[in-house]
């Protein structure tokens, strides 16, 4: 399988996971079950969706849009992201979303950082409170463009992509974990080989940024690697929801994504089945499924995803990721 097929699998896996989680985001596990039952395909949002009301099935959200934004900045900067450029781009992105009447705006860490920058704070200081999953959700282009085999340069690329909004040990470590799995997958690693690198690079990257109190990402990922479905798959999903949590906190949503990826690596779940399970968990479902889709797609390739659903996501969003993915691979 070519690096291009793996990179396309990662970026379209991100978009597909995002779209699967779009109608369920911010709902509880129980609310999702009442409205949709078990998620098995792309669904319309419906009028009661608190963030994406009435969006049609297959619509992407901020996860994919901000990943594309980061990818374009990487290409423009020939592999480097200028923090000030990222800040300006995020401000412009949110303004465009507001003009469209969208409720899918910047997350809490990113919004606080941007407000600090607009108030005259330095870029280095602006991200000192960013502990949520915003950096991890948009880090996939870095995993495509930067080779994890060159560890020092790889971590630096992750730090540059995180600094402006998530300049903390938790924010950077969680983004490094996701990017490492994506990058290893594009190098040809299997899922069982790539996932441990997530914890390894999370531990390495946590030395960067401002230290914040919170469970260590690397330790949580190593623990998540010991989990295994024992019979009832829905009971496993409930356990993830109740024990790890599915909020925007990196120690919850990113760790849940890794726990689900581990089940695919062990043969307990099919890739698309895991993506649907992520979308049905409750909480920050679009981000959990987007991160999971990126990691699985990088290791399993574009063929891991149902072609008709990828086509639907492309059509609904007028989305053609091939030129961007090719440009990111050229940087690699």
């Amino acid at each position: 399988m070519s690096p291009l097929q793996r990179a396309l699998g990662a970026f379209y896996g991100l978009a597909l996971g995002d779209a699967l989680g779009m109608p369920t985001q911010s709902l509880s596990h129980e609310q999702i079950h009442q409205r949709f039952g078990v998620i098995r395909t792309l669904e319309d949002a419906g009028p009661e969706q608190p963030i994406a009301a009435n969006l049609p099935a297959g619509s992407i959200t901020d996860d994919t849009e901000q990943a594309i934004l980061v990818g374009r900045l990487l290409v423009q900067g020939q592999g480097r992201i200028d923090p000030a450029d990222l800040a300006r781009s995020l401000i412009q992105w949110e303004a465009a979303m507001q003009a469209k009447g969208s409720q899918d705006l910047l997350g809490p860490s990113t919004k606080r950082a941007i407000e600090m920058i607009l108030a005259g704070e330095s870029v280095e200081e602006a991200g000192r409170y960013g502990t949520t999953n915003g950096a991890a959700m948009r880090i996939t282009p870095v995993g495509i463009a930067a080779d994890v085999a060159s560890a020092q340069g790889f971590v630096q690329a992750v730090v540059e992509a995180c600094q402006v909004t998530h300049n903390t040990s938790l924010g950077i470590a969680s983004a490094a974990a996701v990017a490492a799995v994506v990058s290893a997958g594009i190098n040809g690693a299997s899922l069982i080989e790539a996932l441990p690198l997530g914890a390894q690079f999370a531990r390495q990257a946590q030395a960067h940024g401002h230290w914040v109190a919170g469970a260590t990402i690397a330790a949580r990922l190593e623990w998540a690697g010991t989990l295994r479905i024992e019979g009832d798959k829905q009971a496993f999903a409930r356990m993830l929801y109740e024990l790890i949590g599915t909020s925007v906190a990196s120690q919850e949503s990113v760790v849940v994504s890794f726990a689900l990826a581990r089940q695919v690596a062990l043969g307990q779940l099919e890739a698309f089945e895991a993506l649907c399970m992520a979308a049905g968990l409750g909480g920050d479902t679009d981000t959990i499924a987007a991160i999971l889709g990126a990691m699985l797609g990088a290791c399993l390739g574009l063929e891991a995803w149902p072609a008709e659903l990828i086509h639907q996501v492309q059509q609904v969003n007028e989305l053609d990721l091939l030129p961007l993915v090719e440009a990111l691979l050229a940087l690699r």
Side-chain angles (χ1 to χ4, degrees):
M1 190 191 312
S2 71
L4 178 60
Q5 285 300 105
R6 289 171 175 265
L8 286 170
F11 223 136
Y12 276 117
L14 185 156
L16 179 59
D18 184 17
L20 281 165
M22 175 275 295
T24 62
Q25 62 182 315
S26 298
L27 301 180
S28 71
H29 190 74
E30 292 75 18
Q31 287 173 320
I32 293 170
H33 185 74
Q34 289 165 6
R35 294 188 193 183
F36 302 101
V38 177
I39 300 293
R40 291 192 172 90
T41 190
L42 297 166
E43 300 276 2
D44 294 318
E48 296 180 358
Q49 218 305 315
I51 296 175
N54 297 314
L55 283 184
S59 298
I60 58 171
T61 77
D62 59 329
D63 300 75
T64 308
E65 290 172 354
Q66 289 187 31
I68 291 170
L69 182 154
V70 167
R72 288 174 176 163
L73 288 176
L74 275 170
V75 172
Q76 291 168 17
Q78 297 184 312
R80 304 296 297 272
I81 292 180
D82 180 84
D85 287 344
L86 178 56
R88 280 192 295 271
S89 296
L90 288 169
I91 291 167
Q92 292 166 1
W93 176 84
E94 183 170 61
M97 291 298 101
Q98 288 174 325
K100 292 196 301 186
S102 173
Q103 298 299 309
D104 217 347
L105 305 176
L106 296 175
S109 293
T110 301
K111 181 175 282 293
R112 183 172 185 174
I114 295 301
E115 287 172 350
M116 289 176 69
I117 289 169
L118 290 175
E121 194 65 71
S122 70
V123 166
E124 291 73 19
E125 284 297 304
R128 70 175 301 135
Y129 304 105
T131 61
T132 51
N133 57 22
M137 84 177 191
R138 55 179 180 249
I139 202 68
T140 291
V142 174
I144 296 173
D147 192 343
V148 73
S150 303
Q152 186 173 350
F154 175 81
V155 171
Q156 185 57 39
V158 171
V159 170
E160 288 176 1
C162 296
Q163 219 168 19
V164 67
T165 59
H166 293 77
N167 194 20
T168 64
S169 51
L170 285 175
I172 293 171
S174 61
V178 176
V181 176
V182 170
S183 187
I186 289 165
N187 282 344
S190 67
L191 196 55
I192 205 78
E193 294 167 334
L195 288 174
L197 290 177
Q200 178 183 322
F201 275 86
R203 200 169 291 284
Q204 187 171 337
Q206 71 187 16
H208 296 267
H210 298 275
W211 179 83
V212 288
T216 302
I217 294 292
R220 279 211 162 194
L221 293 180
E222 289 164 353
W223 169 73
T226 68
L227 301 177
R228 188 182 179 97
I229 294 174
E230 301 289 350
D232 188 344
K233 294 177 180 179
Q234 290 308 310
F236 181 79
R238 166 65 74 170
M239 182 272 291
L240 297 180
Y241 176 70
E242 294 182 345
L243 183 60
I244 300 177
T246 57
S247 76
V248 298
S250 293
Q251 313 97 297
E252 296 189 6
S253 46
V254 175
V255 175
V256 163
S257 297
F258 270 79
L260 287 168
R262 176 69 175 169
Q263 303 315 302
V264 178
L266 293 173
Q268 298 292 303
L269 294 172
E270 296 295 326
F272 183 65
E273 181 184 18
L275 220 54
C276 289
M277 184 178 286
L281 284 176
D284 199 7
T285 51
D286 56 332
T287 298
I288 293 169
I291 290 171
L292 177 61
M295 295 192 297
L296 295 180
C299 294
L300 302 174
L302 186 58
E303 290 185 359
W305 310 125
E308 69 277 9
L309 297 187
I310 295 295
H311 180 70
Q312 185 175 347
V313 170
Q314 290 172 322
Q315 292 292 105
V316 168
N317 303 284
E318 299 181 354
L319 188 66
D320 179 11
L321 294 172
L322 178 60
L324 178 57
V325 168
E326 287 180 328
L328 290 169
L329 282 175
L331 294 173
R332 194 183 187 90

